[in-house]
Amino acid sequence: MSAAALDPLADRLRRLLALTGLLAVLATGGLAWLAWDYVLDAYAERLAEQTRTHYRAKLAQQRLIWNKAGHRLRSEIEFLRFGEMPPAQRRARLLAFFTAQGEYREFEGLMLTDAGGMPFFTLGCQAMLQEGGDRLQSTGPDLPDVLVQGHCQDSQYVYYVFHTPLWLGPQGQGLGIYAAALDHGFLTRLARKMDHLYLYADGRIQATSEGAARMGNSVDAATMPLRRGGMLQAVVPLAPGGALDGPLLIVRRPLDPLLSTADLLMGIGVVSLVLLAILWWGLGRSLGRVVQRLNDMAHGARAFLVDFRRPDQWPEWLARATGQRDEISQLGKILDQLMNEAERRHQEQAAYQQTLEQMEEAVLELDTAGRVLRVSRAWNVLTGNGEGIVGQPLAAWLHPDDTAAFAELVAALAQHRKEQATARLRLHLDDAQARWLELRLARAPQGECLRGVIRDVTQHYKQEQRITHMALHDALTGLPNRVLLEDRLKVALRLGRRSEHKVALGFIDLDHFKNVNDSLGHKTGDALLVALAQRLRQHLRSGDTLARWGGDEFVVLLPEMHTLEAVREVAQKLHAATEAPIRVDDTEFNITFSAGFAVYPDDTDNEDMLLSHADRAMFYAKAQGRNTLQLFCDMAKKGLGKKDVYIQQRLATAIREKRIVNHYQPLVNAHTGQVRGVEALARWFEPELGWIPPATFIPMAENLGLIRELGEQVWHRALHDVRHWKARGFGLSVNLSKRQLFMPYFTDKLLEDVAAHGLEPERVTLEMTESVALLDVEYAAERLKELHAAGFLLSIDDFGTGYSSLSLLHEMPVHELKIDIAFVRRIHQPQGARLIQTIVGMAQSLGFKTVAEGVEDGQTASQLADMGVDLLQGWHFGRPMTAQEFDAWWLDRHDRAAPGDGEGVQGR
Ligand code: C2E
Ligand code: CA
Ligand code: CA
């Protein structure tokens, strides 16, 4: 706000005041003028009335004088007996008499008539006297005079005519008629000092008094204004009756005004000016004060804006403006409150800012195009040198391979396709090491920008990578494991479908390998497996996969095969690979294997069946006597493989007849050795086949659609058995397979069952492999959340053999991780120990408990306990047992432990 642009309020108000003052003065002047005119009129009216009264009286008085003069003249004429004289003598005598007679001057003329009315003596204008005499005669003796006007000797006059009776002696009685002229002389005598008199008759001024100005001829007595040119004008009728159409006396006299108009205007002007000056001064002062206060307020506000950090300035300014109880003070107080509030928020924000700056995660704000609006200081720590990022696209700092993913993430948020999103991206730094970031972004409420945090997850990522690699590869041979194989199989089939290639899958099982293990020990067995894996690998194309299925079983996957013959060739080549002996530790071994192959699309079109067919072909090959090759299609021609078909048929019956039983294996606290619970494991005994391992019949039951029934049986039996152990505080762990999880009303049923056996869901742990927990993620997650909400504990079985990144598991309501038996086996190797340590560490950081299974000796147990594993399970503590066996085992252990004060891990 520059001073030049300011149009000060006080000046504006002053201008307004001046203008209104002027208008007010003009208006008052006008009004006063009108009022003054009215006053003058009234004054003139009164004066005119006085004047008329005066002249009426004066005229009457004059007529009386004339009348008297007429009577005196009659007396003298009668005394001198002019009537008795002979007419000739009489005339001469009369003439002499009147010539000598001073009285006669009163009149302009006279006429004497005899008894018959005939004039016998006339002086002056005869015609006029004649007329007056006639009119007096006709009006009778009551009227002493009449007003006559007419010509006489070429001049026009107005006369008063009087008459008296005249005794003429013996001749009887005649009349004396006298005329007095209303002329200049008369008017001069009549006029008062200052007055000017005009005689008006026959439409013009006939005579004036001494000094009277000419009046002009067009005078209309009826409409004559009362005042004219400072003169008063009054009209007096001359005829005794007073009619306005007869001769008139017009009186003009200077109107001696009380106050002149100029004086009046001057007075008004002066008074107004004085008033205006007072107003100007008074109002100006108070306005000045108002403006000063407003200025103070503006000063305060400016001080607040500019010197925000010095809150000692503005309150002082505001205090000056708010001293009174008016609107300005009110405004000032509100302003004060606003500033205080802004100040408070500023402090608050600064505090938040400080907190943010201390976080390891960088907090950032992006615009909807991905440009950085702000970022906290942690960014500099993350990148080593992140200066100058504000205003730049964040993508410029990312690895080129990740910018597209980042752009998509930002677009998804900006276009409201997502509310929030998370991504893992690499930083693009000069140093060769990849740095991984986790970026979590959410759209701001109004969608104007994106806010989020960014953190370094490189360590995390590397650990995961390591685990994932181990999870997908066999530790011993380095070959892909089952999980990776299944994935590659899926891919191969998908490609095969598209390109119409064949895909072959072969199961390889070493002949009599158990003997090697038993006689030469595991170590040699392991070395032999590694050597064999290398040998086989040499005979495969780079696109082929050789995987370790477990133990002495391998699987080979041959994608992009053109003919069945080609498959046969490769199979034979592999088989021939073992013809030469294998050397291990200076010993030569002659190893043979049996293999079964199945081919897509010839034998089946899905991966489960391909595995199953290849397995059956292998089984069949073994049954044919070892060291043989079998293709499923050949076998199918000859008739089906026997044993597993047999088992399959038996399985349905066994389940129906409830011949599959439960065994229970204890889980113990790694540190106290106390039994924490049991895991229920299914067992199947067939008189002809002996014990059939669950690893065989459980997948079969899944494939045959029997798992649901089998699972229910295991579950109900377990609840029934565990009921007796409730008092001992045991928990129950049961295994769930994929299909069970997706049964309708699964959670409700479990809850019902648990309640029916008087158990709390918190006592029950449901174990499932990570592939089950993460499969079909959306739906499984929903189910898991449901189970968790119902109170059940969830455990990830065989952890480490799946793909799962821990960050995914983190979002699941999981309670514990069961470290796979394969990891426990390798605890005595440094790498194996490190791996377990990593898993335990991460599980702890995510709040999961850990269980180790397959603990076969005391050393392993104590090592696992030292690493922080919570629960242990394995033959070292107890093999899977029937319920009765388990009872006995527990009582025995309990009795032995009772005298002491707790059981150690090596308690057995
Ligand atoms: P699992 O859930 O990982 O069970 C642990 C396996 O390790 C059991 O094999 C158990 O006998 C074995 N084991 C326990 N301690 C040791 C030890 O110290 N050393 C060795 N070498 N092995 C030990 P099992 O009973 O053969 O079960 C195999 C798999 O079959 C189970 O693996 C589980 O996935 C599945 N299974 C068993 N019972 C059921 C069931 O009722 N329902 C479902 N869905 N699956 C089941
Ligand atoms: Ca289990
Ligand atoms: Ca397991």
Side-chain angles (χ1 to χ4, degrees), residues 65 103 160 283 635 856:
I65 291 167
E103 301 265 356
Y160 273 114
L283 252 165
M635 183 180 100
E856 294 184 354

Side-chain angles (χ1 to χ4, degrees), residues 181-251:
L182 303 182
D183 56 2
H184 172 74
F186 168 71
L187 290 178
T188 302
R189 263 180 281 122
L190 194 65
R192 281 185 306 194
K193 201 172 157 196
M194 313 270 290
D195 286 358
H196 305 280
L197 302 185
Y198 300 82
L199 184 80
Y200 173 83
D202 274 349
R204 67 187 190 93
I205 300 296
Q206 305 285 358
T208 63
S209 66
E210 194 82 55
R214 276 190 56 82
M215 231 185 139
N217 280 330
S218 55
V219 178
D220 183 357
T223 61
M224 181 179 283
L226 212 51
R227 297 183 286 120
R228 183 181 204 168
M231 303 288 263
L232 177 77
Q233 302 191 119
V235 177
V236 186
L238 284 172
L244 276 175
D245 49 355
L248 300 172
L249 180 72
I250 295 174
V251 187

